[in-house]
Amino acid sequence: MTRPLTPKGAATRGRIVAGAAALIRAQGVEHTGLDDIRSVTATSKSQLFHYFPGGRGDLLYAVAAHEATQVIADQQPALDQLGPPHTWVVWRSVVVRKYREQGRECPLRSLTSQLADSDPRIGPLVASLLEDWHARLEAGAVRAGMSSPGALATSILAAVQGGVGLLMATGNVSYLETALDIAIAPIDGTGRKPSSAGPRRPTAGG
C-alpha cells in the first residue's frame, strides 16, 4: 500500500505536476524530457522518482489528470450554474475568454493532441473528462427545461471542441465564438445571431 503524502509532500508533487503541465503546453510532450522538468521545477532526480516511481509514464499520467481537472475548473462556477437562459451567456463568455487568454497553450489541447497517445491510461481519462463535461452541460439543459437535453449538450460540447480545434490551427477565437453562439441559440434567450460574415480575422489585440 502506498503511504499517504504529507501536506508538504503533496505540495511538492503538485508543484512538479503543474510545472510539467505548463512546460508540455508550451513546447509539446515530445520535446519535454525529465531533465527539462527537473530544471523548471527545481527538483532532484531522487525527488522525481520518489513521487513518480514509474518515471516519465507516471508523471505524464499525473499531468493528464491535472489538465483534465483544469479543463472543468476553468469553467467554474459558470458551468455548474447553467440553467436559466442568461447563465448560458455567462458561461459562453467564460469559455471564450479563457481560450482567448490561453491560446495554443491550453489544457484541452495538451490532453487531446499531445498527451493522449503517450500512455494507454490517458485515453480513458480524456473520455471520462468529456463524459463529465457532457453530463454537466446536460444537467444545465435539464434545468433550462429543454426537451432534448442530451442532444443539446452534445451539440454544445461539439461546438467547443470544433471551435477550439480551429483556434489552435488559426489563432482566431472567432470560430469558437460563432460555434458557441449557434449551439446555445435555442436556450440563451437573447436573440443574438452569429455574424453572417462568419469568423472575424484576428486583430493585433487577439
Side-chain angles (χ1 to χ4, degrees):
M1 180 180 294
T2 304
R3 180 180 300 177
L5 294 174
T6 64
K8 182 178 179 181
T12 299
R13 185 182 188 278
R15 176 175 58 78
I16 295 170
V17 171
L23 195 60
I24 288 170
R25 283 186 225 137
Q27 62 187 38
V29 66
E30 69 277 10
H31 300 300
T32 303
L34 292 181
D35 287 342
D36 300 311
I37 294 167
R38 286 178 50 225
S39 176
V40 165
T41 61
T43 305
S44 69
K45 188 173 182 179
S46 61
Q47 275 184 305
L48 203 63
F49 282 93
H50 171 71
Y51 294 110
F52 307 98
R56 192 169 188 268
D58 280 359
L59 178 53
L60 291 182
Y61 181 77
V63 167
H66 172 274
E67 298 292 65
T69 299
Q70 197 62 46
V71 169
I72 297 297
D74 283 345
Q75 303 172 60
Q76 299 293 15
L79 178 60
D80 286 346
Q81 293 175 346
L82 290 173
H86 74 276
T87 64
W88 293 85
V89 180
V90 171
W91 170 77
R92 176 260 191 210
S93 297
V94 169
V95 170
V96 170
R97 182 177 67 250
K98 197 65 183 180
Y99 283 108
R100 180 186 288 116
E101 292 170 353
Q102 293 172 338
R104 290 182 169 87
E105 294 184 19
C106 75
L108 185 59
R109 173 176 179 262
S110 179
L111 272 171
T112 57
S113 66
Q114 298 190 51
L115 288 165
D117 294 331
S118 64
D119 187 294
R121 298 173 293 173
I122 294 178
L125 185 68
V126 174
S128 179
L129 159 67
L130 295 175
E131 289 166 4
D132 178 36
W133 196 349
H134 183 277
R136 293 170 191 259
L137 291 169
E138 184 174 1
V142 169
R143 290 190 290 271
M146 303 306 292
S147 59
S148 301
L152 182 62
T154 297
S155 69
I156 294 171
L157 184 55
V160 176
Q161 294 286 301
V164 170
L166 288 166
L167 168 62
M168 295 304 104
T170 66
N172 188 350
V173 76
S174 294
Y175 290 105
L176 176 60
E177 293 177 306
T178 300
L180 276 177
D181 283 344
I182 293 172
I184 69 173
I187 53 174
D188 74 358
T190 65
R192 291 180 305 121
K193 301 290 185 182
S195 169
S196 59
R200 303 184 303 277
R201 293 182 179 275
T203 64

